[in-house]
Amino acid sequence: MLTLYFAPHTISLATHIVLEEVGADYAVKRIDFASAQQRSPEYLKINPKGRMPALVTDRGILTETPAMLVYVAQSFPHPHLGAALAPLDDPFLFAEIQSFNNYLCSHLHVAHAHRMRGYRWVDADDKHSIAAMQRKVPQSVGESFAMIEREMLKGPWVMGERYTVCDPYLFTLAQWLEADGVDPKTIPRVIGHRQRMAERATVKKAIAQELA
Amino acid sequence: MLTLYFAPHTISLATHIVLEEVGADYAVKRIDFASAQQRSPEYLKINPKGRMPALVTDRGILTETPAMLVYVAQSFPHPHLGAALAPLDDPFLFAEIQSFNNYLCSHLHVAHAHRMRGYRWVDADDKHSIAAMQRKVPQSVGESFAMIEREMLKGPWVMGERYTVCDPYLFTLAQWLEADGVDPKTIPRVIGHRQRMAERATVKKAIAQELA
């Protein structure tokens, strides 16, 4: 049994979708960002970093989305489900999947975070710098999506014909691109991917569960 | 045959050490940051992101350190070498390794990058914001190392008794902590780990090769 700690409209949706894709037996626990529950003593016992998401397993607690996505896929090694989402029998393809997911966590998601979490990298009361970071987000997030559009997204799925753990992760980050000031018309392939994802029953179910 | 594109004093050292650890047959190619060779048309054909490092394999080119570390380990599955560095037969341990490495790439390395690469997230000519980011680095990098010291580093190696791909990665980032303004006396276990790493023949060889 797996338990996902999540907050709506955060990166936890990526892992939530993969739990649905593999048909996992799982529970979800909502963390309320409005009351800063992610920094409560109770939640810090689950994840000392005070961030979303966290996955409670029989062997311990996991954090960091790229690690969780692969773990969930590997834990349900049905050849048409988990094993196909993060194939371990092909080290190069697996490395390509990892490389894509690492680009999302360390470049795209980081660029996005400068819009609302600038206090991580400058003093929170430095209004000039906080605003300067926010102004740069359309460009920095836009350049990351442009790189994905041009160099990475093979189509129809990120890795081509094979649907992998990259797809729910890209989809989740692509939820926020308009709010980040990126013009969707500049990245038609990313938008097409987002639309294909939105039509999957697993994605609809995960989103409905988070917003319920 | 693997070819690692590297630049001295960058995160490429982590992959370089793992290539030594597994006894790989590999070549290195130096990229000159002083002349911005990482943004030259020739290098952008290798890595369109214009970043270090890149690994040329028989099947294609890989980027992003966490992906490369696991790929190199998996490509040399001798049980005392690669397989032990990133064990695939234990999904939870593998996920813990991945989680640690993802923390390094998306939290610690990102915090560090605000000292010299602030132009990624604000306009390069905004001297106030660039300086504000630099002033925050001792705190943000210090908090990341404190989290590693307190919650993650099991000792003597990151994952405990087993030496894994986490160790060269942490060691490489720990090279820069004094320059980032972090007091080494506040993180004695990280410093002890750095010292143990520095004594390994593989680490000495990789560093000597980069500085030659």
Side-chain angles (χ1 to χ4, degrees):
Chain A
M1 177 72 159
L2 300 170
T3 301
L4 177 69
Y5 282 78
F6 81 100
H9 311 296
T10 73
I11 202 62
S12 52
L13 178 61
T15 305
H16 200 162
I17 293 170
V18 174
L19 286 164
E20 281 295 322
E21 298 281 1
V22 300
D25 178 24
Y26 71 98
V28 291
K29 290 198 180 178
R30 182 190 306 258
I31 294 294
D32 181 35
F33 269 36
S35 62
Q37 195 181 359
Q38 74 273 26
R39 289 191 283 273
S40 65
E42 293 74 20
Y43 184 69
L44 290 175
K45 284 182 200 156
I46 302 291
N47 181 2
K49 293 176 242 175
R51 301 269 186 99
M52 286 300 112
L55 188 70
V56 180
T57 82
D58 292 341
R59 286 193 51 194
I61 296 168
L62 291 174
T63 57
E64 305 295 332
T65 293
M68 292 164 61
L69 295 176
V70 169
Y71 179 77
V72 171
Q74 289 190 9
S75 298
F76 298 89
H78 186 290
H80 298 300
L81 295 172
L85 296 179
L88 293 181
D89 57 352
D90 183 339
F92 188 79
L93 175 58
F94 184 63
E96 286 190 302
I97 290 168
Q98 298 248 85
S99 176
F100 184 84
N101 284 355
N102 277 295
Y103 183 76
L104 297 188
C105 78
S106 63
H107 294 69
L108 176 54
H109 198 165
V110 166
H112 161 79
H114 283 72
R115 178 159 63 86
M116 293 193 295
R117 316 270 181 222
Y119 54 80
R120 292 176 183 166
W121 304 291
V122 296
D123 285 338
D125 58 1
D126 180 349
K127 289 190 172 55
H128 172 99
S129 300
I130 295 283
M133 288 176 166
Q134 290 171 338
R135 278 196 306 275
K136 187 81 167 180
V137 164
Q139 180 188 339
S140 59
V141 172
E143 285 173 356
S144 268
F145 273 115
M147 179 70 72
I148 292 166
E149 174 90 8
R150 194 174 66 239
E151 303 283 351
M152 298 180 182
L153 173 56
K154 295 177 183 172
W157 306 116
V158 171
M159 288 293 142
E161 296 299 326
R162 187 197 287 244
Y163 181 90
T164 69
V165 291
C166 300
D167 295 297
Y169 200 7
L170 175 61
F171 170 76
T172 301
L173 286 158
Q175 302 297 292
W176 310 329
L177 63 90
E178 284 91 349
D180 281 344
V182 178
D183 180 354
K185 290 194 292 294
T186 61
I187 46 172
R189 299 177 64 242
V190 169
I191 300 300
H193 177 269
R194 185 172 71 174
Q195 186 59 36
R196 277 187 292 283
M197 287 295 297
E199 289 164 3
R200 292 175 78 89
T202 50
V203 173
K204 288 177 181 170
K205 188 173 167 196
I207 291 175
Q209 197 171 18
E210 295 206 349
L211 300 181
Chain B
M1 177 72 158
L2 299 170
T3 300
L4 176 69
Y5 283 77
F6 81 99
H9 311 296
T10 73
I11 202 64
S12 52
L13 177 62
T15 304
H16 200 160
I17 293 170
V18 174
L19 287 164
E20 281 294 325
E21 297 282 0
V22 300
D25 178 23
Y26 72 98
V28 291
K29 290 198 181 177
R30 182 190 306 257
I31 293 295
D32 181 35
F33 269 35
S35 62
Q37 195 181 358
Q38 74 273 26
R39 288 191 283 274
S40 66
E42 293 75 19
Y43 184 69
L44 290 175
K45 282 182 201 156
I46 302 291
N47 181 4
K49 293 176 242 175
R51 301 270 186 99
M52 286 299 112
L55 188 70
V56 180
T57 82
D58 292 341
R59 287 193 50 195
I61 296 168
L62 292 173
T63 58
E64 305 296 332
T65 294
M68 292 163 62
L69 295 176
V70 169
Y71 179 76
V72 172
Q74 289 190 9
S75 298
F76 298 89
H78 187 288
H80 299 300
L81 295 172
L85 296 179
L88 294 181
D89 56 351
D90 183 338
F92 188 79
L93 174 58
F94 184 62
E96 286 190 303
I97 290 169
Q98 299 249 85
S99 177
F100 184 83
N101 284 355
N102 277 294
Y103 183 76
L104 296 189
C105 78
S106 63
H107 294 69
L108 176 54
H109 198 166
V110 166
H112 161 79
H114 283 73
R115 178 159 63 88
M116 292 193 296
R117 316 272 181 221
Y119 55 79
R120 292 176 182 165
W121 303 291
V122 296
D123 285 339
D125 59 1
D126 180 350
K127 290 191 170 56
H128 172 100
S129 300
I130 294 283
M133 287 175 165
Q134 291 171 338
R135 279 196 306 276
K136 187 81 168 179
V137 165
Q139 180 188 339
S140 59
V141 171
E143 285 173 357
S144 268
F145 273 115
M147 180 71 70
I148 292 166
E149 174 90 7
R150 194 175 65 238
E151 302 284 351
M152 297 179 182
L153 173 57
K154 295 176 183 172
W157 307 117
V158 171
M159 287 293 142
E161 296 298 327
R162 187 197 287 245
Y163 181 90
T164 69
V165 291
C166 299
D167 295 297
Y169 200 6
L170 175 60
F171 170 76
T172 301
L173 286 158
Q175 302 296 293
W176 310 328
L177 64 89
E178 283 92 350
D180 281 345
V182 178
D183 180 356
K185 290 195 292 294
T186 61
I187 46 173
R189 299 177 64 244
V190 170
I191 300 300
H193 177 270
R194 186 173 70 175
Q195 186 59 36
R196 276 188 292 283
M197 286 295 298
E199 290 164 2
R200 291 176 78 89
T202 50
V203 173
K204 288 178 182 170
K205 187 171 168 197
I207 290 175
Q209 197 172 18
E210 295 206 350
L211 300 182

